[in-house]
Amino acid sequence: MKRERSRKLYQQACEVIPGGVSSPVRAFKGVGGDPLFLQRAEGPFVHDADHNRYIDYVGSWGPLILGHAPESVIAAIEKTARDGTSFGAATHKEVSLAQKVTECVPSVEKVRFVNSGTEATMSALRLARGFTGRDRLIKFSGCYHGHADAFLSDAGSGVATLGIPGSAGVPAGAAQDTITLPYNDLESVEATLQTIGDTVAAIIIEPVACNMGMVLPQEGFLPGLRKLCDQHGALLIFDEVITGFRLGLGGAQCHFDIKPDLTTFGKIIGGGLPVGAYGGRADIMDTIAPTGPVYQAGTLSGNPLAMAAGLATLEELSAPDFYPSLEKKASSFAAGINEALEARNDPAYLNRIGSIFYLWFKPGQTTPPMNYEDIKTANSERFATYFSSLLNQGVWIAPSAFEVGFVSSAHTQSLLDATVTAIGKALDAAAGV
Ligand code: PMP
């Protein structure tokens, strides 16, 4: 496959954009080679600057559950754009989207729109601190909650791919109130809260961890966190930037039947436009300005284009058959991958929930990963060969051994079958490494 134009664009980009990319996960640091420059996309496909076509399992890192450029979403964006792209004032569309979110997610009584997942999580943390009058935060290693200072300790895939522990430029003071504990280890949370429970504002968690490959919560872990938060007066924040509207209209919290106090959203909620949101119990949410003393604001927040794209997307997701049909596709895809793995003596382990999947390059592994320490034992060299083979066969996955993939409603059965065949070949190529 020729990638001359991508290569040239990368050279030009490196002169004017640090590392040639607008977000580090787009660089090919974990797999070698130059990043792809993408030009256009439709349905399940992306096309690069050299006009190569790939079946896409990145889906813009999660938002594109309907695939690329779905008719209804594009029509809504076009129509809305003709009426003006931004007002910095209240609009009908944000009320409609807020109503839809509160209907779908029972723990969310009120919601505030922002422009990214990072903004959602950093605002939710400030709100939790303002509401409880406490400073400390418990997070879990390998979980990513955006790039705000307080969250950048053991922050999962992006930093793991680059092989750096956290980030320069985070003052000690900004991170000193963050306590990082192992995922799925309820005892360590209990022990921590027993000593300093009255200083902890919140526990934040990805209810399914999707930024350290994929780690599922063990039975009892999420209910245990709920109970401990209630005992110690801390708020439970579910970061559903990935799982929100991905695992069903009610996200992971409905899937596992746990009610967090606050939830953060991003990605799907904006239908592929820049958006984020945080919401939860009305008494907590009313602590935000202008009703309360916690300040958070945004010129483009509730932007009409993003609201229109989000509304059109959630409309499609509300069709009764949407999630069952996506699950059917994803489970038959997973069955195909598992057959390919078994036929080759399990060179990797497939973890999946709904339409999110992760191939953990851990030969001979027959049980799922429990935490970040487990995940880090993945064989990144083998992954790099697997990645290149898939790319050369026209399959686009995230360029990191620590990222998940997404099936969208635009993937047809024949494309999924073709992908399974390509995965078999890529596994064979990686076996020699
Ligand atoms: N939380 C989670 C769980 C995420 O996966 C991400 C981004 N992948 C974020 C927060 C940050 O979102 P954004 O990149 O939109 O700032």
Side-chain angles (χ1 to χ4, degrees), residues 244-424:
F245 297 94
R246 171 62 67 174
L247 298 183
L249 287 175
Q253 54 195 268
C254 285
H255 184 92
F256 295 110
D257 196 19
I258 307 286
K259 238 178 161 177
D261 301 296
L262 292 175
T263 302
T264 55
F265 299 97
K267 306 202 189 248
I268 289 178
I269 205 177
L273 263 68
V275 96
Y278 62 109
R281 269 172 37 202
D283 61 323
I284 304 174
M285 291 304 290
D286 282 335
T287 313
I288 313 169
T291 34
V294 175
Y295 195 72
Q296 181 273 311
T299 303
L300 295 174
S301 295
N303 173 269
L305 295 182
M307 298 295 103
L311 273 169
T313 300
L314 299 199
E315 184 68 37
E316 299 259 355
L317 304 187
S318 302
D321 194 40
F322 182 85
Y323 289 102
S325 138
L326 189 59
E327 169 64 28
K328 222 167 118 196
K329 279 185 190 182
S331 74
S332 89
F333 182 49
I337 298 174
N338 274 326
E339 260 177 47
L341 290 169
E342 270 167 40
R344 290 164 179 82
N345 236 343
D346 295 321
Y349 180 88
L350 178 72
N351 216 3
R352 175 185 79 93
I353 182 166
S355 53
I356 316 173
F357 64 95
Y358 172 63
L359 212 50
W360 183 29
F361 273 77
K362 187 82 198 291
Q365 187 72 30
T366 51
T367 52
M370 288 293 129
N371 53 39
Y372 196 30
E373 287 306 306
D374 283 352
I375 287 286
K376 280 196 283 195
T377 60
N379 185 327
S380 295
E381 289 84 48
R382 277 204 185 159
F383 174 82
T385 306
Y386 168 82
F387 171 85
S388 301
S389 168
L390 281 184
L391 199 65
N392 290 332
Q393 296 179 73
V395 176
W396 172 234
I397 60 167
S400 161
F402 306 108
E403 298 287 357
V404 294
F406 299 96
V407 176
S408 78
S409 61
H411 288 107
T412 60
Q413 193 57 51
S414 66
L415 284 176
L416 294 169
D417 292 345
T419 306
V420 168
T421 307
I423 285 176

Side-chain angles (χ1 to χ4, degrees), residues 116-119 121 144-146 206 211 239 241-242 267:
S116 68
T118 294
E119 242 190 282
T121 50
Y144 180 64
H145 303 293
E206 289 181 74
N211 282 286
D239 182 351
V241 165
I242 286 187
K267 306 202 189 248

Side-chain angles (χ1 to χ4, degrees), residues 52-340:
N52 300 308
R53 190 181 82 168
Y54 306 86
I55 309 171
D56 177 25
Y57 292 94
V58 181
S60 186
W61 305 84
L64 302 179
I65 192 166
L66 303 173
H68 291 272
E71 214 37 65
S72 61
V73 178
I74 298 306
I77 294 171
E78 276 177 359
K79 185 165 180 294
T80 305
R82 287 182 213 289
D83 288 335
T85 54
S86 179
F87 308 117
T91 67
H92 183 181
K93 285 198 170 61
E94 65 192 351
V95 183
S96 303
L97 189 57
Q99 283 168 341
K100 182 77 186 167
V101 172
T102 54
E103 265 165 43
C104 291
V105 190
S107 75
V108 176
E109 294 167 351
K110 289 194 174 180
V111 61
R112 163 76 51 99
F113 293 109
V114 291
N115 303 291
S116 68
T118 294
E119 242 190 282
T121 50
M122 64 185 240
S123 307
L125 173 59
R126 183 180 306 141
L127 172 58
R129 285 173 164 162
F131 181 78
T132 58
R134 301 168 174 187
D135 288 344
R136 284 195 164 125
L137 168 76
I138 293 178
K139 79 173 281 278
F140 296 95
S141 48
C143 285
Y144 180 64
H145 303 293
H147 64 85
D149 287 355
F151 298 118
L152 282 180
S153 104
D154 263 357
S157 51
V159 284
T161 308
L162 297 175
I164 54 176
S167 172
V170 175
Q176 77 186 9
D177 289 319
T178 305
I179 298 155
T180 305
L181 299 175
Y183 202 90
N184 274 325
D185 184 351
L186 197 58
E187 278 174 20
S188 73
V189 182
E190 197 167 5
T192 305
L193 287 175
Q194 249 155 27
T195 51
I196 54 154
D198 60 348
T199 64
V200 174
I203 297 180
I204 187 165
I205 184 163
E206 289 181 74
V208 174
C210 294
N211 282 286
M212 48 167 152
M214 185 200 297
V215 175
L216 289 162
Q218 286 306 100
E219 210 179 322
F221 184 53
L222 297 176
L225 294 181
R226 178 65 279 176
K227 210 164 138 204
L228 286 170
C229 280
D230 290 341
Q231 277 168 7
H232 293 275
L235 301 186
L236 182 60
I237 307 175
F238 272 11
D239 182 351
E240 298 230 39
V241 165
I242 286 187
T243 51
F245 297 94
R246 171 62 67 174
L247 298 183
L249 287 175
Q253 54 195 268
C254 285
H255 184 92
F256 295 110
D257 196 19
I258 307 286
K259 238 178 161 177
D261 301 296
L262 292 175
T263 302
T264 55
F265 299 97
K267 306 202 189 248
I268 289 178
I269 205 177
L273 263 68
V275 96
Y278 62 109
R281 269 172 37 202
D283 61 323
I284 304 174
M285 291 304 290
D286 282 335
T287 313
I288 313 169
T291 34
V294 175
Y295 195 72
Q296 181 273 311
T299 303
L300 295 174
S301 295
N303 173 269
L305 295 182
M307 298 295 103
L311 273 169
T313 300
L314 299 199
E315 184 68 37
E316 299 259 355
L317 304 187
S318 302
D321 194 40
F322 182 85
Y323 289 102
S325 138
L326 189 59
E327 169 64 28
K328 222 167 118 196
K329 279 185 190 182
S331 74
S332 89
F333 182 49
I337 298 174
N338 274 326
E339 260 177 47

